[in-house]
Amino acid sequence: MASIKRFVHWLLGKPTSSDQPVVAALARFRDPEADALELIRHLISVLRPQNRRDDESAERYQRMLSELEVDGELRRAFRAHIVHFIAARRLMTFFTDSGILPGTGFFSEWWRILGNRLLPEALDERQLKDCLHVIFDQAADWRWLERIPDGASQRFWALIAPAEELRSLDWRGIEEQMLDAVLLLAHRVSGLGIEGELMRASPDFDDHTPRFIALSAEALDFVNAFRAAQSDPAQAADDGSQLLVIAAQCQDTLERIRKRALSIGTSLHLSYILTRSEQSLLRLHELVAILTGGGHAEAIEASAEFARAAFLAENRRNSLGFYMTQLSRLLAVRVTENAARSGEHYICESTADYRQMWRSAAGAGVLIGGMALLKIFTADLHAPLFVEAFLFSMIYGLGFVLIFLLGMTVATKQPAMTAQTLAGLLGDLKPTRAADLERLVDVVAAVSRSQLAAIAGNVMVALPVAIAIGFGLSHWLGEPVISTDKGAHLIADLDPLSWALPHAAIAGFYLFLSGLITGYFDNKAAYANIGQRIGRLPWLRRLFGDERAGRFGNYIQERLGGLMGNFLFGCMLGSTGVIGTILGLPLDIRHIAFSSANLGYALIGFQFSLPVQAVLWAAFGIAAIGFTNLAVSFWLALRTALGARRIQFEHWGPLFSAIWLRLRQQPRSFLLPPKQSADAAAGS
């Protein structure tokens, strides 16, 4: 009924109840003495959503435009307030900084954002950039602003800046500040010619330095010519084409450095410089397009696009997530690419790969059985909390490093790695091409059988190894190595209705982090030439000789990511329970392989007298823990990899249909290598 009423009012041209606040807010602009800042603040408060269910902001914005378009007097009063408000403010920081990373550096900006969460910054209403925070004072204003159609934004700026008004003193003042901004942006980018980080990332950067120097000189010529044409209409204004050509050359140089960084590694500082410089070049292009638009319509379109992007970015200026997204894409792609290459080693394409996965997982199961008992003995020491956390971390960390160095596989390490490989394939997928879908389904099937083989190898070996070790030690010592109370505690930890699954989710999150850590240190090793630097250590060269020292350095560089990822993953697992005790929070971890070993030790503690139902329930708990470990780490890793590659995959339906079809037709391929692979292996 309400929708019909609004429709009837729209046909009659009458404002509906939801439109009345917009009409009232616009009416206040008729007062020439009113404070423009307060008028704009009130209008925005009317336009923004009033609650979570309010999705009519775009309609109210359209209503505002309609009112201004049909009422000439109101339009002139509204325009006078808006234009004078803008012209009376200092615009330099708005043009040069809004939506652009600041020059203070990564961590300084990071701390500024965190500090503003605790203590809001002081705003200077003489600066337009600060006024935007007064007007758009809600952190989520960018969400409804983003939903306003591009055409509506262009209609707004066409109302504000008609061709006949652009020669007014206010607009001339705005243009003057825009020209100063062009100069500042050009000088900022020109300064890259002496940036040591870029020279390090690109050996031939010196050959491109003249481009950056020329940009500043050409910007000065452009500004002088533009101002001369303003003073004397008989002179031809510079169209900015030469300036944009040089800017494009600078952009090309930066893009080459980005591509090179994907292969040789990058750093936070390099990523920061590249992102800030590219943003500055884009802003330079936008301002030149506004100043030299081929016609009024083109200038309005450029102004609308620029203002929209700047308003959105400024509203999200204190968003830590938005800041990280701006900066981290190159670094994230590099890290996830390293993880993707590691993930390829976890995928079994052939029978030989499948058998090797079983062997490596079984070997890890043997070591995990021993590590689990060491942790049980360490817990029985009741050492001080710090000592206990350290010992637990060393057991896990050094154990995982040993497993890695021996070429063994821990099943739960796979999802965080293989997700990166799948993300790369999703980015290239064209659902209309059957070959692409088939290739991706092949990889999904290979990941499935690889994961199941690794899980089975870990669990089916860790459990009997734990029983064998416990039984052997008990026989040797003449008493059960695991007490009944300890056995009861181990069984209780596997109850899926207790904290087991939340604790498994924490372990899954750590597995995801360990994948990123592995990629980060692989990137660090390549970027910083860790291997070459280790090989040049004087004491190492004296001890082993130059050749062996170099080989050792290369060995560490190739494995640094795996070493650090596994060690720090172990430290996270070992310290979480102690941190939970200190904080009084129910924090701990559950890991499928260690849980299976703990079940074996629990059986020893009860001397195999546990009821069958209790054993089956514990086995179900182990399966649930494993599923949680894998699901959490895989989902987080896949989401991160897709975001790093800027992939918005929207073809899940065709993909799931293709997987389901393969599952019905060839269920064996998800468990075992395809027969053709087996035949090929046998033939070879």
Side-chain angles (χ1 to χ4, degrees), residues 455-629:
I455 291 174
N458 284 169
V459 172
M460 293 176 64
V461 173
L463 177 59
V465 164
I467 293 174
I469 293 175
F471 185 80
L473 285 177
S474 298
H475 179 74
W476 181 50
L477 296 173
E479 59 180 9
V481 71
I482 303 295
S483 67
T484 304
D485 289 342
K486 187 63 177 179
H489 178 73
L490 293 175
I491 283 289
D493 286 345
L494 303 179
D495 184 359
L497 299 181
S498 65
W499 284 95
L501 298 189
H503 291 163
I506 294 174
F509 175 68
Y510 290 161
L511 286 162
F512 157 70
L513 283 184
S514 71
L516 294 184
I517 291 170
T518 297
Y520 172 78
F521 278 99
D522 278 335
N523 168 75
K524 186 71 174 177
Y527 182 74
N529 293 319
I530 294 295
Q532 184 178 354
R533 293 163 67 179
I534 291 176
R536 291 175 60 85
L537 287 172
W539 64 268
L540 190 65
R541 296 167 70 179
R542 287 195 302 268
L543 190 61
F544 295 113
D546 293 350
E547 184 180 351
R548 289 183 178 179
R551 289 205 304 267
F552 179 75
N554 292 334
Y555 179 87
I556 294 298
Q557 176 162 329
E558 291 172 1
R559 292 165 177 79
L560 183 63
L563 291 171
M564 295 304 299
N566 281 282
F567 180 73
L568 293 178
F569 174 58
C571 291
M572 289 185 281
L573 293 185
S575 59
T576 299
V578 175
I579 292 173
T581 301
I582 294 173
L583 299 178
L585 298 174
L587 299 179
D588 209 339
I589 58 95
R590 295 290 181 272
H591 186 280
I592 181 174
F594 286 92
S595 296
S596 63
N598 287 341
L599 175 58
Y601 290 121
L603 292 173
I604 295 295
F606 282 97
Q607 299 182 25
F608 301 97
S609 61
L610 274 172
V612 175
Q613 295 88 336
V615 176
L616 292 177
W617 185 244
F620 175 74
I622 292 173
I625 288 169
F627 176 80
T628 305
N629 289 158

Side-chain angles (χ1 to χ4, degrees), residues 638-658:
L638 182 63
R639 182 178 177 181
T640 301
L642 291 175
R645 292 171 171 82
R646 305 189 186 189
I647 298 172
Q648 294 183 343
F649 189 71
E650 300 175 350
H651 308 294
W652 296 107
L655 175 59
F656 287 142
S657 297

Side-chain angles (χ1 to χ4, degrees), residues 237-291:
D238 190 335
D239 62 359
S241 58
Q242 183 62 27
L243 175 60
L244 295 181
V245 167
I246 298 175
Q249 292 174 348
C250 294
Q251 176 64 38
D252 179 66
T253 299
L254 298 179
E255 188 60 34
R256 290 185 181 184
I257 295 175
R258 272 194 182 275
K259 292 179 179 178
R260 179 175 169 79
L262 288 175
S263 59
I264 67 167
T266 185
S267 67
L268 279 175
H269 185 51
L270 176 61
S271 183
Y272 196 94
I273 292 172
L274 289 172
T275 303
R276 174 172 162 81
S277 302
E278 289 174 341
Q279 290 173 341
S280 298
L281 285 171
L282 176 61
R283 180 60 50 83
L284 178 66
H285 190 282
E286 291 171 339
L287 294 182
V288 171
I290 294 172
L291 290 166

Side-chain angles (χ1 to χ4, degrees), residues 32 56 132 139 176 200 203 235 269 310 330 371 385 456 482 529 549 565 571 591:
E56 297 183 357
L132 292 179
E176 281 296 318
R200 178 181 179 182
Q235 295 190 32
H269 185 51
L330 174 63
M371 292 163 61
L385 292 178
I482 303 295
N529 293 319
C571 291
H591 186 280

Side-chain angles (χ1 to χ4, degrees), residues 88-216:
R89 263 64 189 176
R90 297 172 182 171
L91 308 179
M92 182 68 75
T93 54
F94 172 68
F95 289 135
T96 61
D97 295 343
S98 292
I100 296 177
L101 291 173
T104 50
F106 173 78
F107 288 106
S108 297
E109 181 65 4
W110 191 66
W111 282 113
R112 183 197 67 78
I113 294 173
L114 291 180
N116 287 345
R117 298 285 183 89
L118 301 175
L119 191 64
E121 60 185 339
L123 299 176
D124 183 359
E125 294 185 2
R126 295 172 298 176
Q127 300 276 357
L128 179 63
K129 187 170 180 285
D130 286 358
C131 284
L132 292 179
H133 292 279
V134 176
I135 296 169
F136 299 101
D137 56 353
Q138 302 295 318
D141 275 337
W142 65 272
R143 297 185 183 277
W144 66 269
L145 286 172
E146 202 171 38
R147 291 195 294 268
I148 294 174
D150 292 340
S153 297
Q154 293 175 17
R155 285 172 60 194
F156 175 83
W157 287 102
L159 291 169
I160 296 302
E164 65 273 12
E165 295 288 337
L166 293 183
R167 291 298 175 182
S168 67
L169 290 178
D170 282 339
W171 279 113
R172 289 290 295 273
I174 294 172
E175 284 184 343
E176 281 296 318
Q177 296 196 60
M178 204 176 294
L179 291 169
D180 289 338
V182 168
L183 282 176
L184 182 57
L185 290 166
H187 291 325
R188 177 189 296 170
V189 177
S190 292
L192 294 175
I194 57 172
E195 178 57 55
E197 194 79 7
L198 295 183
M199 295 181 181
R200 178 181 179 182
S202 178
D204 61 346
F205 185 72
D206 286 344
D207 297 335
H208 301 282
T209 299
R211 297 180 177 183
F212 293 91
I213 297 174
L215 181 68
S216 182

